[in-house]
Amino acid sequence: MDEKWVLIVDDEESILSVLKNSLKKFGPAFQVITANSGAAALEQLSQRIFDLVVTDYRMEDMNGLELLEAVRAIQPDTRVILMTAYGSNALEAEARQLKAYNYLTKPLEIDSFRQVVKEALGNLAISRPGILILSDERYQQVNNLITQLRSDIGAWCIFLTDSEGHFIAQTGEMSELPLQQIACLVGGGVASLLEVGRIIDGTDDTVNLCYREGKQVNLYVVNIGRQLLLVIICEVGPYASRLGSVWYFAQRTALALREKLGEAEHASPYPLFNHEINQELDSQFDQLFAETAPPQASTARDEVAPAPETPDLPAEELLSFEQAIAKGIVPKEFSGS
């Protein structure tokens, strides 16, 4: 597993110490940083990317919801867990509306706290944009799972992709299908379904099925986290699997894939250069193109005498044609026109 960075925010040093020590059992892959105020947390967030922020609600300089909102603006893919000893349904609803990953009430049970943190970090690779990195062994495990699914339901083809159409694994005959276009289109539908679920009950970490019944083929799409899709295409016929059977085997496979892919390494798509370097590059490119732009060719026929200078006039002053000639704005040769 690649490194996971956790920021714990609380204005009580004793709580910070206990929570930080409770995560040491996860090993060196978990890097835990603490902050005793919202301002200190924002300073940490400006210095590096965190996978998870765990924050108390009631703090002197900034409450947990304000910090949660700031995290959403600074690092939108970072998950946030809100802790409070003053819980209420209204507070929990507001935390869910701001897309808090979880909501915990104090006093905390340490084993439960560790489990929630583990769950929050366990499937990051399938729940945020980026590049999924699979070892040969893990790729083979993934391929075996979708090959077995194809056998269980008699599918024509199955492919595992992200929501942008980048393929991870595939099985079956699919050479003539516009797979990338299919993945991008169904990805939007699944994303909408996940968002509707979050609005209804505050949960978007679910396995969902989208289904399209056609005359020649049936299409099934199952999400794995927020970013990965399992696309299943089955031919219509007397021996085709029924919807319930497909959903049963697909859901079972999706849960197994979540476990395998959730442990994979993940490369976040953060910018290669910072803002200052980008500005400098833009300036250099502008200068380069200005220096290399070909000069405009001119001929005697193209040469035009420079226009005579005209006096500045107040914007509201209106002149007659004769007054314009008198002031030199219109050449005198036009006086007979």
Side-chain angles (χ1 to χ4, degrees), residues 80-308:
V80 180
I81 296 174
L82 183 68
M83 308 179 296
T84 182
Y86 306 92
S88 67
N89 291 337
L91 178 59
E92 183 173 1
E94 192 168 357
R96 298 295 186 191
Q97 187 175 6
L98 290 172
K99 298 184 179 181
Y101 178 78
N102 213 323
Y103 176 90
L104 303 176
T105 55
K106 293 180 177 179
L108 300 176
E109 204 284 316
I110 294 300
D111 287 340
S112 297
F113 170 73
R114 278 198 292 255
Q115 182 61 31
V116 170
V117 169
K118 187 176 180 181
E119 291 173 357
L121 296 172
N123 61 354
L124 281 175
I126 61 172
S127 299
R128 65 184 184 188
I131 302 169
L132 194 65
I133 304 172
L134 299 179
S135 64
D136 290 343
E137 179 182 2
R138 198 176 300 280
Y139 173 79
Q140 190 58 52
Q141 292 171 343
V142 169
N143 195 64
N144 289 342
L145 284 170
I146 65 172
T147 300
Q148 181 61 50
L149 174 61
R150 184 187 179 213
S151 175
D152 289 335
I153 62 177
W156 177 24
C157 62
I158 300 174
F159 60 96
L160 179 65
T161 175
D162 67 15
S163 56
E164 296 179 354
H166 301 130
F167 295 104
I168 299 168
Q170 60 189 51
T171 180
E173 180 57 43
M174 54 186 71
S175 58
E176 297 181 0
L177 294 175
L179 301 184
Q180 188 171 26
Q181 183 179 4
I182 292 172
C184 292
L185 290 171
V186 298
V190 172
S192 299
L193 184 62
L194 289 170
E195 185 64 19
V196 169
R198 188 190 65 78
I199 293 172
I200 293 174
D201 59 14
T203 303
D204 60 5
D205 191 21
T206 56
V207 178
N208 304 274
L209 172 68
C210 294
Y211 169 59
R212 182 260 187 191
E213 182 175 340
K215 294 181 178 180
Q216 296 180 331
V217 297
N218 294 333
L219 174 68
Y220 308 84
V221 183
V222 179
N223 71 291
I224 304 170
R226 293 189 62 85
Q227 297 298 322
L228 302 183
L229 305 171
L230 189 63
V231 181
I232 305 165
I233 300 175
C234 297
E235 292 183 280
V236 174
Y239 302 106
S241 296
R242 294 182 178 273
L243 175 60
S245 296
V246 174
W247 172 229
Y248 169 77
F249 286 108
Q251 185 182 40
R252 189 176 68 175
T253 302
L255 293 173
L257 287 170
R258 282 181 59 155
E259 181 180 352
K260 296 296 181 185
L261 296 172
E263 297 171 354
E265 294 185 3
H266 178 272
S268 299
Y270 296 108
L272 181 61
F273 303 119
N274 61 30
H275 181 65
E276 290 76 14
I277 294 177
N278 281 330
Q279 283 188 325
E280 179 63 24
L281 286 173
D282 288 342
S283 176
Q284 292 293 333
F285 278 122
D286 290 341
Q287 183 178 354
L288 175 64
F289 286 114
E291 292 174 351
T292 58
Q296 297 269 341
S298 63
T299 65
R301 184 174 55 185
D302 297 328
E303 293 177 359
V304 179

